[in-house]
Amino acid sequence: MAWRTARLLLLAGAAALASGSQGDREPVYRDCLLQCEERNCSGGALKHFRSHQPIYMSLAGWTCRDDCKYECMWVTVGLYLQEGHKVPQFHGKWPFSRFLCFQEPASAVASFLNGLASLVMLCRYRASVPASSPMYPTCVAFAWKLDYFCASTVILHSVYLCCVRTVGLQRPAVASAFRALLLLMLTAHVSYLSLVHFDYGYNLAANVAMGLVNAAWWLAWCLRNRRRLPHVRKCMVVVLLLQALSLLELLDFPPLFWVLDAHAIWHISTIPVHVLFFSFLEDDSLYLLKESEAKFKLA
């Protein structure tokens, strides 16, 4: 075991100079991965692996190399724990216990519950708000994107929703131009991450920056209208809660029981926040409908 401990200490000293995560830079992990691929991922061994792989794993895109990475990750984690070292990350992520084809089962379940809550609230919104309400199309589009696409899309659409509510109802041309700008930003963001380099740090920084713009804009509008429109207090609570809960995304700790990490906890905690925000959208849309009907009668 002494040579393995020496390897770990050498790794710790060179961590700042090397690329990748600490776990996948570990020589034990690399040796294990190389031997596993040579043993299982070519020729007859690969055919045997594919014939015995569960159908749900193959449909999810799990390859022989992915399986080797998973097994060697736990070999390395066991070594770290045995030697009394902190659990390392692998390829930018903490180690998780796989359930069926889900590498992060708690996050997957939480994401599903978020989507389910959004669907329920969308049905409620469509049942209670007439399509003639000025904000109806924008709110419905936001509901479909909520937790269905990537976080960047949700944040940018929330910014657009705020733009329509605060400016676009009076100046549609401004809202249209702003929408084009946001689409351009989203295209550039996704293209960089998918075609150039998937940088977790950049992705997080970009989402945090847009999240701050989104929160500041909504909060400023809410504060300005809190006395005239009592229902905006719901929006204020949503903004403040999301900013507080977003700190969970910045926490960095190994998953509890190898399942529950900060990201999963954040997903779970935002479910009631989504429900409250939909309640605000419903109240606000009905208010705008009454206001437009009153102006039509006066005209």
Side-chain angles (χ1 to χ4, degrees):
M1 287 296 179
W3 67 274
R4 291 185 175 180
T5 303
R7 280 185 171 185
L8 293 174
L9 293 175
L10 181 62
L11 170 68
L17 301 177
S19 59
S21 298
Q22 185 173 340
D24 53 81
R25 290 198 307 266
E26 165 59 39
V28 171
Y29 172 84
R30 293 188 175 186
D31 291 344
C32 174
L33 183 60
L34 180 62
Q35 294 176 18
C36 181
E37 289 181 333
E38 290 178 348
R39 185 173 60 250
N40 301 319
C41 301
S42 61
L46 179 58
K47 293 181 179 178
H48 180 269
F49 169 82
R50 290 174 175 171
S51 64
H52 286 77
Q53 184 184 34
I55 184 64
Y56 58 83
M57 295 291 287
S58 58
L59 291 176
W62 278 86
T63 65
C64 181
R65 177 175 172 80
D66 293 328
D67 215 53
C68 285
K69 286 182 178 180
Y70 181 77
E71 293 187 10
C72 292
M73 175 184 72
W74 288 114
V75 170
T76 309
V77 168
L79 174 61
Y80 268 71
L81 293 176
Q82 182 179 343
E83 298 296 334
H85 296 280
K86 293 182 179 180
V87 176
Q89 288 188 339
F90 294 81
H91 305 286
K93 296 183 178 181
W94 292 110
F96 289 88
S97 287
R98 185 175 66 194
F99 177 72
L100 298 178
C101 60
F102 298 104
Q103 179 64 53
E104 300 180 30
S107 291
V109 171
S111 182
F112 170 77
L113 292 176
N114 262 293
L116 182 61
S118 299
L119 180 60
V120 170
M121 295 307 295
L122 170 63
C123 293
R124 172 179 164 173
Y125 180 89
R126 296 184 66 175
S128 60
V129 178
S132 56
S133 177
M135 288 292 293
Y136 183 90
T138 309
C139 290
V140 169
F142 177 76
W144 280 118
K145 284 181 171 62
L146 191 60
D147 207 68
Y148 188 79
F149 294 105
C150 64
S152 303
T153 307
V154 174
I155 295 172
L156 288 178
H157 200 283
S158 180
V159 174
Y160 174 67
L161 182 68
C162 185
C163 174
V164 172
R165 180 61 182 91
T166 59
V167 180
L169 294 179
Q170 294 77 31
R171 300 179 179 85
V174 174
S176 298
F178 190 67
R179 178 178 58 189
L181 176 62
L182 292 179
L183 287 174
L184 182 62
M185 291 174 58
L186 179 63
T187 301
H189 179 72
V190 173
S191 297
Y192 174 76
L193 291 176
S194 58
L195 300 178
V196 180
H197 174 57
F198 192 88
D199 189 328
Y200 286 97
Y202 156 73
N203 187 48
L204 177 62
N207 287 334
V208 168
M210 291 307 302
L212 290 175
V213 171
N214 179 59
W217 198 343
W218 273 116
L219 196 58
W221 177 79
C222 290
L223 290 172
R224 190 168 60 250
N225 293 277
R226 67 185 185 280
R227 294 181 181 177
R228 186 173 63 90
L229 306 174
H231 61 268
V232 302
R233 294 172 184 172
K234 294 181 180 180
C235 185
M236 292 178 64
V237 173
V238 167
V239 171
L240 295 176
L241 279 177
L242 283 179
Q243 293 308 300
L245 293 174
S246 64
L247 296 176
L248 289 171
E249 285 286 68
L250 302 179
L251 295 179
D252 199 24
F253 58 84
L256 303 174
F257 310 108
W258 308 116
V259 173
L260 194 64
D261 67 332
H263 183 68
I265 295 173
W266 177 79
H267 261 302
I268 295 171
S269 62
T270 56
I271 294 174
V273 179
H274 291 163
V275 173
L276 183 60
F277 188 58
F278 268 102
S279 178
F280 156 73
L281 292 178
E282 181 181 338
D283 292 344
D284 194 53
S285 296
L286 291 174
Y287 162 78
L288 289 172
L289 180 61
K290 291 180 180 179
E291 186 181 51
S292 63
E293 289 177 347
K295 290 181 179 178
F296 178 77
K297 290 179 180 179
L298 291 175

